[in-house]
Amino acid sequence: MKTKKVKSRKKQSRVVRPRDSRSIVHIVGDPANVEEYVRICSAHGYNVSYHCPGSLEPLTTIELSAARNESHVPANASFALELTNVDLDQKRRNLEMLDKVLPSTTAIVSSSITVTATEQASWIRHKVRLVGCSALPTLGDKPLIEIAPTVFSPGATVQVVQTFFRSIGKDIELVQDRIGMVFPRILCRVINEAAFALQEEIALPHDLDQAMVVAAGFPVGPIAWAERIGITQVYAVLKSLNRDLGEDRTRVAPLLTQMALSGTWWQQATAFHEERR
């Protein structure tokens, strides 16, 4: 009697959570985002390594004893954060390198406010390991983080990511995988509307900020908040949103485009006009 040979199924790698707070978290991306999360992860006891490709300036507020600046991805990292919003070509290179070096069981959480997490997952081999998050400068210190599973994300990966963010003191909101996610999208569109108001000379920056703080209860006005975030970060979100939806209501204010592309000239011009009031 012949016995049937049963083909053994190849065991699929499953993403696992960091073993404990002494595990290594590797963080790569835009300097402002990296700096926030290096500080947060270090404060919660994680060993942190970080890298900001293309940045020539050191992260001055990071204690050297708490984190290591490493241009090479440490192969023993048990969790990775990719926090690039502006240069998407660099973001893709970062993700491809993380996917190549890290074990397939290591989760990668990537900022997905300028490109969806699902598109990012399509760039790498081990797609199930990637989940999106709402990383935008100044939001790292907020108590809530938005995370967006991809179409490839199994429940186990999402649980690993949730466990990590809870370990650094975050409340979690699961949202759909769309450009801008929720709060970053709303915030950047408010800033864009403020830029239209500036362009049409409805009010000066200080007056706009004061109106939104007093009348709308904002913790800080939209122009001041944009400066803290970084105009290029806001511009990147708005451009990606407009590219995704293709609607006139998502058009970037021409003044904001100039602000993003030409540095601090607008601050000097605004100061001149306010002095003449």
Side-chain angles (χ1 to χ4, degrees):
M1 183 176 177
K2 293 183 179 180
T3 57
K4 291 183 179 180
K5 290 184 178 180
V6 180
K7 292 183 179 180
S8 60
R9 292 183 179 178
K10 191 175 181 180
K11 193 174 181 180
Q12 188 176 15
S13 299
R14 180 177 177 179
V15 173
V16 297
R17 66 182 179 87
R19 290 182 296 278
D20 53 47
S21 62
R22 291 167 295 180
S23 300
I24 296 174
V25 175
H26 185 64
I27 306 174
V28 60
D30 295 336
N33 277 329
V34 169
E35 190 156 355
E36 285 187 354
Y37 277 91
V38 166
R39 177 167 41 80
I40 293 166
C41 292
S42 297
H44 285 83
Y46 283 99
N47 291 321
V48 179
S49 64
Y50 69 92
H51 184 49
C52 302
S55 176
L56 300 178
E57 297 182 5
L59 305 186
T60 55
T61 65
I62 293 177
E63 294 288 342
L64 294 179
S65 60
R68 303 183 308 279
N69 186 355
E70 295 189 5
S71 58
H72 299 290
V73 178
N76 60 339
S78 54
F79 203 86
L81 293 169
E82 204 299 323
L83 305 178
T84 304
N85 293 328
V86 177
D87 186 343
L88 297 186
D89 290 332
Q90 182 63 60
K91 185 178 188 70
R92 180 166 185 162
R93 289 192 293 271
N94 293 345
L95 286 170
E96 289 173 343
M97 182 58 66
L98 290 170
D99 189 55
K100 179 181 178 181
V101 174
L102 296 176
S104 60
T105 54
T106 300
I108 299 174
V109 175
S110 184
S111 178
S112 55
I113 61 174
T114 56
V115 57
T116 65
T118 296
E119 181 175 345
Q120 295 176 56
S122 73
W123 299 342
I124 62 177
R125 179 183 175 190
H126 302 101
K127 296 173 175 48
V128 299
R129 68 157 89 205
L130 191 142
V131 172
C133 75
S134 56
L136 186 69
T138 74
L139 300 189
D141 291 326
K142 303 299 181 185
L144 185 136
I145 182 85
E146 298 170 25
I147 63 173
T150 74
V151 298
F152 308 107
S153 302
T157 300
V158 177
Q159 288 178 3
V160 167
V161 172
Q162 289 176 314
T163 299
F164 169 76
F165 279 116
R166 289 192 184 104
S167 76
I168 60 171
K170 297 291 185 184
D171 294 324
I172 298 156
E173 192 68 39
L174 286 173
V175 302
Q176 291 188 23
D177 182 23
R178 298 304 300 266
I179 298 292
M181 304 183 81
V182 179
F183 186 70
R185 171 193 290 229
I186 294 170
L187 176 58
C188 289
R189 290 187 67 179
V190 169
I191 292 169
N192 194 45
E193 193 59 37
F196 272 117
L198 281 179
Q199 180 177 304
E200 296 164 13
E201 299 184 347
I202 293 173
L204 289 171
H206 173 77
D207 299 323
L208 276 169
D209 283 344
Q210 189 70 6
M212 293 302 290
V213 169
V214 175
F218 271 44
V220 63
I223 302 302
W225 205 336
E227 289 185 77
R228 294 182 187 182
I229 294 169
I231 299 294
T232 55
Q233 292 275 334
V234 176
Y235 177 72
V237 174
L238 292 169
K239 283 291 289 183
S240 297
L241 190 60
N242 182 252
R243 185 170 57 248
D244 182 47
L245 299 177
E247 299 174 351
D248 187 65
R249 65 189 176 93
T250 62
R251 181 169 61 95
V252 184
L255 178 61
L256 193 143
T257 301
Q258 288 183 320
M259 291 161 70
L261 299 180
S262 53
T264 60
W265 70 267
W266 66 275
Q267 296 169 323
Q268 298 166 1
T270 298
F272 172 75
H273 285 299
E274 289 196 341
E275 285 175 2
R276 297 185 62 184
R277 291 179 67 185

